[in-house]
Amino acid sequence: MRPTPFLPGALRKRPRTRSRSRRALLCAALLAVTVQTAVAGPALAGRPDGPGGPGRPGGGPRDCVATRGPLGEQGDRVMDIARRAKDELKLNALQLKVTLDGREVVTDALGESMTGVPAEPGMHFRAGSVAFAHIGNVLLQLVQERKVSLDDTVERWLPDLRDNDKITLRMLAGNTTGIHDYVTDPAFDAVLEKHPFRQWTTDELLGYAFSHPAWYPPGTSWSYSHANYVLLEAALEKITGTRIDELVKKRFTGPLGMHNTRNNFTPDIPEPVLHAFTSDRGLYEESTFWNPSWTTGPGAVITTHICDLARSAEAVGRGAMLSPHSYRTLLNPGTVGLGGGTATCPASICLKQTEQAHFGLGVIVVNGWLVQNPSFSGYAAIQAYLPSKRLAIAVSATKTAETADGNMAEIVAQRIAAYLSPDVPLTIDG
């Protein structure tokens, strides 16, 4: 098994493929100030699939259902695209929700969760690095409230971290620390492949990252590392005195009515479950309850459903609960221009960050779209938002034994974007 960093094709080099590649793509706020919460929160919460709509008062799977009644031309066309993609890509299940200018275009699900069990929009799946976008927003809110500065070094919160007097909160959130990614360590990869149900500790994960020297001095280049967010989450807990899952719930998912996006301290997934299957270990097998504790620090290992994923895409993408200045920082915290191969860091690791394709604070910016695209252990998803058209696309996909390598949800989202926004394509090379 050879997991690769969580990056869209526009930011990652195409990995060397095998007959059955095992990819773990986990890339990479918020209690708004009073006026922002009052304005931004209800605008999302009052929708038919939100906590103010029909179904259970607090929101839930019963509120995330297929669009009722005639879809209209756009909805019909999007579903045609989805059906063709499911067949062509040989997917087991496909969930999607698309909104345009705040209006639902379509919500639906195709295929099966398990044999004989139809997939439904309200089924929960693992969302991986989507949590990093939420955490990036939480950090920026703390900066807005002058509780911290992005350029604060972290020695007071992470006293045992190597180079903690040189590494800042901005560097952790923007992936410019130079710390290795434990996910790409062959030793880690070998253990993960053999023991997919293993419960990992933070110390074990960071041990792999720090068994290597830094790629470069902190702040001088760019390279993706899951370790950065493990450390950032730990720092935020120290800064606020609040566990990271409660912090994100208080400042982001709660105010936005995302009641089906939650942390899980065990491999369990709340019912109803979208089951996952993969050939990562050579044999096509169920992977639904493989232990995701390696994906990030405890408290940020999330599950969600497709309606919450679309709400996340829109809220993050339009900076719903951030100041205009913080939103600009979210899009580019200083990463543009960094990266590029050197004598100590190959170009395949220190990827060049350009205006067209770069990492922000927990989000990926490609051709004007704000993206997160987790893919691991048989689950694949994407949330994408285009601010210029107020277009949100959320897709989740699971595999059959014949599904090709890669994040198939990306491909579905690209095809939907090509129809709804042909002049601004979602340029992810899966």
Side-chain angles (χ1 to χ4, degrees):
M1 175 165 147
R2 184 63 169 168
T4 55
F6 174 78
L7 296 169
L11 283 182
R12 65 176 177 249
K13 301 298 183 182
R14 189 179 297 275
R16 184 176 63 187
T17 58
R18 299 157 62 169
S19 60
R20 292 298 176 196
S21 172
R22 302 161 186 91
R23 303 174 66 191
L25 308 178
L26 293 173
C27 179
L30 275 6
L31 181 60
V33 292
T34 303
V35 64
Q36 290 171 319
T37 302
V39 173
L44 294 174
R47 292 181 182 168
D49 60 350
R56 289 176 289 179
R62 295 178 191 172
D63 299 328
C64 186
V65 297
T67 307
R68 301 179 179 89
L71 296 181
E73 180 180 355
Q74 288 181 326
D76 283 334
R77 180 69 182 278
V78 168
M79 287 308 301
D80 286 343
I81 292 169
R83 292 187 189 97
R84 286 197 300 271
K86 179 187 175 297
D87 291 341
E88 291 173 12
L89 301 175
K90 303 184 187 304
L91 301 177
N92 191 53
L94 182 64
Q95 301 168 302
L96 70 156
K97 184 176 182 71
V98 179
T99 66
L100 182 61
D101 198 23
R103 172 184 60 83
E104 180 185 61
V105 175
V106 67
T107 304
D108 213 336
L110 304 171
E112 295 183 318
S113 172
M114 298 182 291
T115 302
V117 180
E120 298 176 357
M123 287 179 167
H124 299 102
F125 53 90
R126 301 201 190 281
S129 57
V130 168
F132 298 166
H134 304 168
I135 290 165
N137 273 261
V138 168
L139 172 60
L140 285 170
Q141 280 216 331
L142 294 172
V143 172
Q144 287 177 187
E145 296 163 11
R146 300 185 184 278
K147 290 181 169 62
V148 293
S149 165
L150 283 180
D151 296 317
D152 285 341
T153 54
V154 298
E155 66 267 26
R156 75 191 84 170
W157 308 299
L158 303 173
D160 298 324
L161 174 63
R162 182 177 71 194
D163 291 331
N164 59 14
D165 60 336
K166 301 179 181 66
I167 291 174
T168 66
L169 295 170
R170 184 193 303 268
M171 293 174 195
L172 288 174
N175 283 292
T176 62
T177 64
I179 298 170
H180 272 240
D181 187 1
Y182 58 82
V183 167
T184 59
D185 186 311
F188 169 81
D189 182 46
V191 177
L192 181 62
E193 178 174 6
K194 188 175 181 180
H195 302 286
F197 295 101
R198 174 172 172 167
Q199 179 75 26
W200 292 86
T201 68
T202 296
D203 286 345
E204 288 171 337
L205 299 175
L206 294 177
Y208 285 100
F210 287 106
S211 67
H212 305 275
W215 286 114
Y216 47 82
T220 62
S221 189
W222 186 94
S223 56
Y224 186 79
S225 175
H226 290 73
N228 286 326
Y229 271 80
V230 172
L231 292 163
L232 177 60
E233 291 153 19
L236 289 174
E237 290 186 334
K238 292 285 187 66
I239 291 166
T240 63
T242 305
R243 212 171 61 186
I244 194 66
D245 58 317
E246 294 297 331
L247 186 65
V248 173
K249 180 179 179 181
K250 177 183 178 182
R251 289 179 168 267
F252 189 85
T253 58
L256 290 168
M258 294 171 56
H259 303 301
N260 282 268
T261 300
R262 66 195 72 177
N263 166 73
N264 302 280
F265 285 107
T266 75
D268 195 19
I269 300 177
E271 293 285 348
V273 179
L274 181 71
H275 285 247
F277 308 85
T278 184
S279 301
D280 278 0
R281 302 197 305 165
L283 174 70
Y284 184 66
E285 59 187 327
E286 178 161 7
S287 52
T288 306
F289 299 108
W290 283 4
N291 196 320
S293 58
W294 58 272
T295 59
T296 188
V301 181
I302 65 170
T303 56
T304 192
H305 65 25
I306 202 66
C307 295
D308 270 13
L309 190 66
R311 187 176 289 112
S312 171
E314 183 173 350
V316 172
R318 67 184 180 89
M321 296 165 68
L322 293 175
S323 70
H325 175 76
S326 292
Y327 179 62
R328 289 192 295 271
T329 303
L330 179 83
L331 300 185
N332 178 19
T335 50
V336 172
L338 295 177
T342 67
T344 60
C345 187
S348 60
I349 298 295
C350 289
L351 302 179
K352 186 67 176 178
Q353 302 294 288
T354 68
E355 189 68 37
Q356 182 73 10
H358 63 271
F359 200 89
L361 283 187
V363 299
I364 304 159
V365 182
V366 284
N367 199 31
W369 290 81
L370 278 71
V371 175
Q372 273 288 358
N373 57 343
S375 176
F376 66 105
S377 300
Y379 286 104
I382 183 171
Q383 67 171 49
Y385 188 78
L386 182 61
S388 63
K389 296 193 175 180
R390 294 171 56 88
L391 171 60
I393 300 173
V395 179
S396 170
T398 60
K399 302 177 179 181
T400 66
E402 288 75 40
T403 305
D405 295 336
N407 186 329
M408 296 297 105
E410 290 179 358
I411 298 176
V412 178
Q414 283 179 299
R415 295 181 183 182
I416 294 170
Y419 163 58
L420 292 173
S421 179
D423 54 327
V424 188
L426 180 55
T427 50
I428 300 176
D429 177 14

